[in-house]
Amino acid sequence: MFSLIDAVSFYARAEKVFDPAIRDKPVVVLTNNDGCICAVCPLARELGIPKFVPYFKVKSFLAKHNVIVRSSNYELYADLSERMMNVIARYSDRHYIYSIDESFLHFRKFTCIDDWHAYGHVIRKAVWRETRLPVGVGFGSTLTLAKAANHASKKLPGFDGVAVINDDIARKEILSRMSLTDVWGIGAKLGKKLSILGLKNGWDLATQSPKAMKSQFGVTVERTVNELNNIPCLNWDEIGQDKQEIFSTRSFGQRVTDGHALRAALSSHASTVAKKLRKQGSLVKRLVVFVSSSPHDEQYYKRSMIYEFPVATDNTLKIVEAVSHVFEAIFAPGIMFYRCGVGAVELDNSHFQQQDLFNPSINNFQLMQCYDGINHRYGSGVIEVAAAEKSKKWAMRRSFLSPSYTSKWSEIPKIIC
Amino acid sequence: MKVIPVYIEAGITGFESPAAEYKELRLSLEELLLQHPNATFFGLANGRSMEGRGIFDGDVLVVDRAEKVTNNAVIVANFNGCFVCKIIDTKNALLLSASGEHAPMPITDADSFQIEGVVNVSFRLHKKIPSLLSCLV
């Protein structure tokens, strides 16, 4: 048996844990730089506030309904996430953290449990009691079915935070009430294609022939169909698969017009991408560098350039240098830059790199090992390439930040005696 | 995870420390004070109503959400949108203070009330630390 457990609107609920004054109020959380709404608590959802709208567009509506607005408090979320994962890990013999608020469990030696529904509630209660975070719990015989049950536990009427798919009746009931894109691994594009074939819901997909699906849509959809029919095809290693693309991008706290500052921001993003590449053992072959003004500006300016390395690399110095190669082509004076970023869009595996007779490697393994070692030991950013000097101008704007209740002694909650 | 650090030694040394074999982990306050580290948070006491139980203004409260609530325990609760530290009278649904100057507060259906955790430990810094006091501002 597998299970997927995740927190219900995690960021918004996390804001309520140490702030009892807003427990019963609608709360929304904004993304980096307070740009968009990224989390909405159930009370705010009832007011019809959608996710991913720019904050300035709904600002007056939020004020009118006394909605509490918060900036993303990553320090707090990271601490609460760790606590939540620690509680969940107690309840199975195999645990895989999938994201900040989702984790899979695998029950291998749990033959004694016959009431999974009750067991789900035991986990839910413990997480609520120890962390004050509500979670949804879904059980299934494959990862995809566990994910479907998790969806049902939170979104479908008639479920109380726990859903179990352990027989064909439950499987049919839940899958037939799910849209195609609610099924794990079916994105918007694929969902559209499948609906052209006349499929309407998850159950329609489950009843397709896996072979036919493979020939039309590839092996991923074949696996999904099998998984929906109790045939396990996915495992930990695959869900934790290396990223195919690595991006570092952010909007500026204050608009940037100066070429030097923009170049420094891009260099810093390049350096972040390089670090992430090394962490997953990848090399970059093609790098995209982009800058833009705001799409809400009168004249929207957007430029991007691709840089191709002669040989794939994970060398911070070379990747930062790439920014300089393309910078003149994307910069224009007089633009109020709002956003910029760097993305590694074509990756190679560093363990199986093909050597090139005419292009010697531009990696510097020892230097990078030393560089990462120093930053790991003394704190991230202690050593950095000079081109990526930080400026306050593009530090993150977080105007509605809650206190770091669990990570700074000067900000622990006050308790009235 | 608790790990005893073992340092790499080069071949050239003087006499090995006779205490090396007896090395243990140093005492940890966390180990002593936190029963359920994962379910515990810290808060700063503000007010004088709990002095009879040894909790003074400016003390640090160690709040354990996993500990079982029993009658007469010192608890932290969300009482109408505020964290309060009181003694819980589970039999009569009252919040009691530990001082003569505060009357018992009944918990009614009109109140929003949730127990947050039990306070089995609190501690006092006899030399005040500015960063800690800034929570009260």
Side-chain angles (χ1 to χ4, degrees):
Chain A
M1 190 62 109
F2 290 98
S3 176
L4 176 66
I5 303 182
D6 75 340
V8 182
S9 43
F10 177 61
Y11 287 8
R13 294 304 300 234
E15 289 293 336
K16 299 188 180 201
V17 171
F18 293 105
D19 191 349
I22 64 168
R23 288 256 173 102
D24 305 326
K25 291 186 180 149
V27 172
V28 299
V29 177
L30 306 179
T31 51
N32 291 336
N33 281 320
D34 299 340
C36 289
I37 291 179
C38 67
V40 177
C41 83
L43 289 172
R45 196 174 303 129
E46 280 171 27
L47 292 171
I49 300 166
K51 269 208 228 177
F52 308 118
V53 288
Y55 170 54
F56 76 90
K57 282 197 172 167
V58 289
K59 200 171 171 179
S60 57
F61 179 84
L62 298 179
K64 201 175 111 197
H65 289 87
N66 297 317
V67 177
I68 308 290
V69 179
R70 288 287 162 86
S71 305
S72 289
N73 186 344
Y74 295 110
E75 295 82 352
L76 177 67
Y77 309 153
D79 179 71
L80 283 171
S81 166
E82 193 186 325
R83 288 167 186 252
M84 178 178 118
M85 298 308 178
N86 286 344
V87 178
I88 292 169
R90 294 207 296 261
Y91 290 91
S92 88
D93 51 352
R94 231 171 141 221
H95 180 216
Y96 182 88
I97 296 172
Y98 183 58
S99 74
I100 190 165
D101 66 341
E102 290 174 283
S103 60
F104 283 102
L105 298 180
H106 185 192
F107 306 91
R108 287 177 301 181
K109 293 170 188 149
F110 280 64
T111 41
C112 49
I113 294 174
D114 44 30
D115 188 347
W116 288 99
H117 195 264
Y119 193 64
H121 277 291
V122 170
I123 301 175
R124 249 186 125 226
K125 252 189 205 151
V127 177
W128 172 254
R129 185 167 169 209
E130 296 187 27
T131 67
R132 282 292 182 272
L133 292 167
V135 291
V137 184
F139 292 99
S141 55
T142 64
L143 294 174
T144 307
L145 284 174
K147 183 106 177 164
N150 173 278
H151 172 87
S153 77
K154 298 182 302 178
K155 301 273 168 70
L156 298 185
F159 290 91
D160 53 359
V162 178
V164 186
I165 300 183
N166 56 353
D167 57 28
D168 284 346
I169 300 166
R171 196 163 63 93
K172 186 174 179 184
E173 196 220 328
I174 288 175
L175 291 182
S176 59
R177 289 167 70 189
M178 286 173 69
S179 75
L180 288 166
T181 50
D182 286 334
V183 176
W184 196 28
I186 307 295
K189 250 190 199 165
L190 201 52
K192 225 176 219 171
K193 283 188 200 161
L194 290 168
S195 66
I196 292 171
L197 292 181
L199 307 191
K200 285 184 199 70
N201 54 46
W203 181 249
D204 291 344
L205 181 61
T207 47
Q208 297 300 306
S209 137
K211 274 203 179 140
M213 287 288 114
K214 184 184 178 182
S215 62
Q216 265 185 293
F217 301 104
V219 67
T220 332
V221 180
E222 180 197 24
R223 280 186 192 172
T224 302
V225 173
N226 278 330
E227 285 248 322
L228 291 174
N229 288 290
N230 296 315
I231 304 163
C233 300
L234 298 173
N235 59 48
W236 285 173
D237 306 328
E238 281 171 81
I239 57 176
Q241 211 173 42
D242 285 347
K243 292 199 175 76
Q244 304 295 308
E245 289 183 336
I246 292 175
F247 275 83
S248 172
T249 168
R250 186 176 296 163
S251 50
F252 292 107
Q254 284 171 44
R255 296 294 188 95
V256 165
T257 50
D258 168 34
H260 180 73
L262 187 66
R263 190 192 289 243
L266 285 168
S267 300
S268 170
H269 286 306
S271 164
T272 304
V273 167
K275 189 174 86 185
K276 288 183 180 171
L277 283 166
R278 290 194 294 275
K279 203 172 164 196
Q280 74 166 27
S282 294
L283 304 169
V284 56
K285 185 85 178 101
R286 282 150 78 88
L287 192 76
V288 58
V289 182
F290 53 94
V291 295
S292 74
S293 65
S294 162
H296 305 289
D297 285 351
E298 236 169 70
Q299 273 200 320
Y300 183 35
Y301 177 92
K302 194 178 173 191
R303 292 279 183 284
S304 72
M305 282 290 284
I306 296 226
Y307 181 84
E308 192 159 341
F309 291 93
V311 247
T313 184
D314 63 2
N315 185 342
T316 296
L317 302 181
K318 295 292 171 191
I319 295 170
V320 170
E321 207 178 279
V323 168
S324 301
H325 288 305
V326 300
F327 186 75
E328 293 308 326
I330 55 176
F331 176 73
I335 303 290
M336 308 261 283
F337 288 99
Y338 173 67
R339 194 175 183 79
C340 73
V342 170
V345 288
E346 196 185 309
L347 306 184
D348 271 350
N349 188 315
S350 60
H351 302 299
F352 309 110
Q353 188 179 19
Q354 188 88 41
Q355 296 301 322
D356 188 321
L357 183 61
F358 301 106
N359 289 304
S361 170
I362 52 173
N363 286 336
N364 191 337
F365 177 72
Q366 282 95 341
L367 180 66
M368 287 304 110
Q369 200 179 29
C370 177
Y371 177 95
D372 288 338
I374 290 173
N375 278 332
H376 182 72
R377 182 153 173 195
Y378 298 105
S380 168
V382 164
I383 178 169
E384 186 57 275
V385 285
E389 66 166 316
K390 297 242 164 62
S391 136
K392 272 194 184 145
K393 252 193 174 166
W394 49 280
M396 212 187 333
R397 185 174 59 210
R398 297 196 283 183
S399 311
F400 313 103
L401 189 62
S402 53
S404 301
Y405 297 107
T406 58
S407 53
K408 286 202 184 89
W409 281 111
S410 57
E411 298 180 11
I412 62 174
K414 187 164 82 173
I415 298 172
I416 313 269
C417 289
Chain B
M1 190 172 62
K2 291 174 182 173
V3 178
I4 299 178
V6 178
Y7 296 102
I8 300 167
E9 289 171 41
I12 321 150
T13 58
F15 289 104
E16 195 189 348
S17 162
E21 276 185 46
Y22 300 92
K23 193 159 179 146
E24 281 191 344
L25 272 184
R26 192 174 290 163
L27 292 175
S28 137
L29 272 178
E30 286 217 354
E31 189 196 342
L32 181 72
L33 302 180
L34 310 188
Q35 288 286 307
H36 308 103
N38 197 57
T40 297
F41 68 95
F42 302 106
L44 201 68
N46 182 208
R48 304 191 51 190
S49 77
M50 292 299 288
E51 289 186 358
R53 285 284 187 107
I55 294 171
F56 289 77
D57 192 43
D59 285 1
V60 177
L61 304 177
V62 179
V63 189
D64 186 343
R65 295 190 196 274
E67 184 72 12
K68 200 172 178 315
V69 178
T70 52
N71 190 31
N72 234 3
V74 176
I75 55 128
V76 166
N78 166 18
F79 190 59
N80 297 324
C82 275
F83 280 152
V84 297
C85 175
K86 294 285 168 193
I87 297 160
I88 182 89
D89 179 343
T90 52
K91 296 199 173 105
N92 307 304
L94 291 173
L95 288 175
L96 309 176
S97 292
S99 89
E101 292 164 29
H102 299 79
M105 292 192 292
I107 305 159
T108 67
D109 289 343
D111 292 312
S112 88
F113 179 79
Q114 287 162 307
I115 293 183
E116 295 294 320
V118 174
V119 181
N120 282 335
V121 176
S122 66
F123 57 87
R124 185 171 317 136
L125 297 152
H126 292 283
K127 184 180 174 190
K128 294 299 173 200
I129 296 174
S131 66
L132 205 50
L133 291 176
S134 63
C135 316
L136 293 177
V137 179

